């Protein structure tokens, strides 16, 4: 069994596209953190973060198959991020359409700046998303206690539970309970 740890992403992509399953597996493992980070920034009513992670992994899989190093000139990691984030955003939009609800049924909680820089959104879309994000943060602050709001915001910003414990001085159980309460409260708020 060959070790692929020293290979660059672009080399692994080339091997994967040539049929090397181990190279494909290495890329999927190597970039699973990127997928989790991207999925963590979105909240899907009626869904779980794991659903969005699964969609993101599908986006990563397609990125491996579609990447052309010489043609696009960008690194694989940047191309993968673009494919993963688009797939997750599409999943949120699709879920919202299926329920005949407006787009804000799946609220993006993370900073939209990376989406803006990709050039996918029109100025009107950017303004609408910014307004929706502000409105959602206001709903969050009304529905959650100060501690729940603080913990949820830290979590969405990418901090691990252990990092949140260190920052707040609270126990792991306290932080986890706050996240679970927040999730239930936010789901109830968004269903209204």
């Amino acid at each position: 069994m060959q070790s692929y740890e020293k290979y660059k992403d672009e080399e692994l992509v080339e091997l994967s596209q040539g049929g090397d399953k181990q190279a494909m597996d290495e890329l999927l493992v190597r970039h699973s953190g990127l997928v989790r980070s991207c999925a963590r920034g979105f909240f899907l009513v009626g869904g779980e973060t794991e659903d969005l992670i699964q969609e993101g992994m599908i986006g990563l899989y397609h990125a491996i198959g579609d990447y052309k190093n010489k043609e696009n000139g960008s690194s694989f990691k940047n191309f993968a991020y673009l494919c993963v984030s688009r797939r997750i955003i599409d999943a949120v939009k699709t879920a919202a359409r299926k329920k005949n609800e407006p787009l804000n049924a799946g609220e993006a909680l993370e900073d939209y700046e990376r989406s803006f820089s990709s050039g996918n959104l029109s100025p009107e879309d950017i303004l609408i998303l910014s307004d929706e994000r502000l409105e959602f943060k206001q709903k969050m602050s009304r529905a959650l206690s100060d501690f729940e709001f603080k913990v949820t915001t830290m979590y969405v910003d990418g901090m691990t539970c252990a990092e949140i414990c260190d920052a707040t001085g609270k126990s792991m159980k306290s932080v986890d309970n706050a996240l679970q309460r927040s999730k239930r409260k936010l789901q109830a708020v968004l269903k209204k």
Side-chain angles (χ1 to χ4, degrees), residues 6 18 38 42 60 90 112 118-119 129 131 148 167:
K6 293 184 180 181
C38 210
F42 290 87
L60 178 58
D90 286 347
Y112 289 103
S118 69
L129 289 173
D131 288 346
E148 291 166 345

Side-chain angles (χ1 to χ4, degrees), residues 44-70:
L44 186 63
V45 175
E48 298 289 328
T49 302
E50 289 299 319
D51 297 331
L52 292 177
I53 290 171
Q54 185 176 18
E55 287 295 324
M57 290 302 287
I58 292 169
L60 178 58
Y61 179 79
H62 286 294
I64 294 168
D66 295 342
Y67 181 73
K68 293 179 178 81
N69 188 17
K70 293 177 184 171

Side-chain angles (χ1 to χ4, degrees), residues 31-42 49 53 81 84 88 110 114 155-158:
H31 294 287
S32 63
L34 176 132
V35 172
R36 286 189 172 285
S37 172
C38 210
R40 201 182 239 178
F42 290 87
T49 302
I53 290 171
Y81 173 78
V84 167
I88 290 171
E110 74 173 357
R114 290 187 295 208
Y155 183 77
V156 168
D157 287 341

Side-chain angles (χ1 to χ4, degrees), residues 9-35:
D9 288 345
E10 290 75 13
E11 294 169 326
L12 289 172
V13 169
E14 196 172 314
L15 291 170
S16 296
Q17 290 174 349
D20 189 331
K21 287 187 63 71
Q22 288 178 324
M24 169 80 75
D25 291 344
E26 174 66 25
L27 280 168
L28 292 172
V29 169
R30 189 179 285 187
H31 294 287
S32 63
L34 176 132
V35 172

Side-chain angles (χ1 to χ4, degrees), residues 144-159:
L144 304 178
S145 70
D146 290 341
F147 180 65
E148 291 166 345
F149 182 82
K150 183 177 184 179
V151 167
T152 302
T153 303
M154 289 176 166
Y155 183 77
V156 168
D157 287 341
M159 292 178 74

Side-chain angles (χ1 to χ4, degrees), residues 59-116:
L60 178 58
Y61 179 79
H62 286 294
I64 294 168
D66 295 342
Y67 181 73
K68 293 179 178 81
N69 188 17
K70 293 177 184 171
E71 289 180 22
N72 66 22
S74 68
S75 71
F76 174 72
K77 186 173 184 175
N78 289 340
F79 182 73
Y81 173 78
L82 185 63
C83 292
V84 167
S85 61
R86 284 182 179 169
R87 181 75 186 211
I88 290 171
I89 290 168
D90 286 347
V92 170
K93 287 180 179 180
T94 300
R97 271 196 303 273
K98 284 182 182 176
K99 294 180 181 182
N100 293 322
E101 294 178 2
L103 178 60
N104 65 3
E107 292 286 345
L109 297 177
E110 74 173 357
D111 221 356
Y112 289 103
E113 291 172 11
R114 290 187 295 208
S115 298
F116 299 158

Side-chain angles (χ1 to χ4, degrees), residues 40-45 103-112 128-144 148-149 152-153 156 182-192:
R40 201 182 239 178
F42 290 87
F43 183 79
L44 186 63
V45 175
L103 178 60
N104 65 3
E107 292 286 345
L109 297 177
E110 74 173 357
D111 221 356
Y112 289 103
I128 290 168
L129 289 173
S130 296
D131 288 346
E132 287 177 352
R133 181 169 188 239
L134 178 61
E135 181 181 335
F136 183 73
K137 281 212 164 205
Q138 289 170 344
K139 285 181 182 179
M140 273 181 58
S141 67
R142 286 191 299 267
L144 304 178
E148 291 166 345
F149 182 82
T152 302
T153 303
V156 168
S182 297
K183 184 176 179 181
R184 283 191 303 273
K185 288 178 180 181
L186 291 175
Q187 283 177 338
V189 165
L190 291 173
K191 287 180 182 178
K192 291 181 183 178

